[in-house]
Amino acid sequence: MKKKLLTLLLGTSLVMGLAACGGGTDTSKNKDTTTKTTDTGGGANDVAAAAEKITAQKCSSCHGENLKGAVGPDLTHIGAQLSKQQILDILKNGKSGGMPKGLISGDDADKVATWLASKK
């Protein structure tokens, strides 16, 4: 009986965790998913600040508050494993195993990819 209850609880936790990451398809047209940022002339610091804000809003539910991993993998040193272009490709196209495509797009995806690629 304990095994069945434990299996049920673990299964439910897994489903709830994956549901928090998204994965559904959005069929709406004209949906703007970009985050507006103001250029204050700070260059790289502005990009990093904007990327941190975007990841806090879009990525922390799966990758954890500090991107140390949760349902999704640890991203704190992802730049040592993947290039900016590879990260951008994953952001745009998703990855099997739970990373949905299109969670971040456009200029926001580029900012996040640049910021994550710098995490070595």
Side-chain angles (χ1 to χ4, degrees), residues 17-89:
L18 290 175
C21 286
T25 55
D26 184 6
T27 57
S28 66
K29 308 263 184 195
N30 302 330
K31 183 176 180 185
D32 183 12
T33 59
T34 58
T35 303
K36 306 294 183 210
T37 58
T38 304
D39 185 8
T40 59
N45 289 337
D46 284 346
V47 170
E52 285 185 65
K53 183 177 180 180
I54 294 163
T55 56
Q57 294 171 346
K58 305 274 186 167
C59 309
S60 63
S61 64
C62 291
H63 294 285
E65 186 175 323
N66 296 318
L67 301 181
K68 291 185 179 180
V71 174
D74 183 334
L75 300 179
T76 56
H77 301 291
I78 195 67
Q81 299 169 3
L82 301 174
S83 69
K84 174 187 172 183
Q85 191 57 45
Q86 290 171 313
I87 294 169
L88 192 56
D89 182 60

